[in-house]
Amino acid sequence: METKQYKIGYTDGVYDLFHVGHLNMIEAAKKRCEYLIVGVHSDEVVYQYKHRYPIIPEAERARIVGAIRGVDKVVINEVRDKLTLLERYHFNVVFIGDDWKGTERWNNFEKHLGKQNVDVFYIPYTKGISTTDIKKKIMNIS
């Protein structure tokens, strides 16, 4: 069996209207870790920071994500704080899209996770696809 860079990896997201960008993130993360935990933001968490609920309910989004090859465990998260999630899931790397690199939020996570010997690995964002773009296309059709 191939030795991977990390033992336990973690990534999360809303995964509403699941698309190829989501799949690319999960596949790229799994290539680098032996065991991949994928967090799905709960409906309430999404509402707290986006001020709207996802189109697809959390249980269905979790079921979709859990069916993807390479996802070893799927969890529904009531929090977004990576230090709290680290206490729960004991990962040694967090995977996030590179569109977050250099932001105050992720610079802070890098600093605090680094003190816990947890790496932050930035995965290239899939250009030309986003849930927001899909929603706009749907609205233009109707």
Side-chain angles (χ1 to χ4, degrees):
M1 185 167 116
E2 159 190 7
T3 302
K4 299 200 177 176
Q5 186 175 0
Y6 299 101
K7 184 154 182 68
I8 301 173
Y10 177 84
T11 191
D12 62 22
V14 179
Y15 303 110
D16 201 16
L17 302 181
F18 195 90
H19 56 70
V20 74
H22 297 138
L23 184 60
N24 289 343
M25 168 63 80
I26 290 169
E27 288 177 339
K30 183 59 182 180
K31 284 180 185 174
R32 292 166 176 85
C33 66
E34 293 174 25
Y35 188 86
L36 180 62
I37 302 167
V38 180
V40 173
H41 296 261
S42 74
D43 294 342
E44 289 304 319
V45 164
V46 174
Y47 186 80
Q48 287 171 15
Y49 73 96
K50 292 193 175 200
H51 310 292
R52 61 177 167 71
Y53 288 101
I55 293 171
I56 309 297
E58 65 191 39
E60 293 177 21
R61 291 182 285 119
R63 185 169 172 216
I64 290 165
V65 170
I68 296 166
R69 183 177 45 238
V71 174
D72 296 297
K73 180 177 184 172
V74 64
V75 295
I76 296 175
N77 286 334
E78 300 293 334
V79 297
R80 292 175 64 208
D81 179 71
K82 302 307 181 250
L83 294 170
T84 300
L85 295 167
L86 173 61
E87 289 175 17
R88 290 183 189 168
Y89 305 122
H90 310 286
F91 45 80
N92 57 330
V93 62
V94 173
F95 298 101
I96 186 73
D98 67 359
D99 52 323
W100 289 98
K101 190 174 180 93
T103 64
E104 183 179 345
R105 176 177 171 83
W106 278 92
N107 286 343
N108 192 38
F109 280 141
E110 278 186 56
K111 183 173 78 173
H112 293 294
L113 289 168
K115 291 177 185 174
Q116 304 292 323
N117 295 317
V118 175
D119 289 344
V120 174
F121 192 104
Y122 292 95
I123 297 201
Y125 180 80
T126 302
K127 304 224 182 319
I129 185 80
S130 74
T131 302
T132 301
D133 290 344
I134 292 170
K135 288 178 182 177
K136 286 178 184 175
K137 286 178 185 177
I138 291 169
M139 294 303 293
N140 286 334
I141 291 170
S142 59

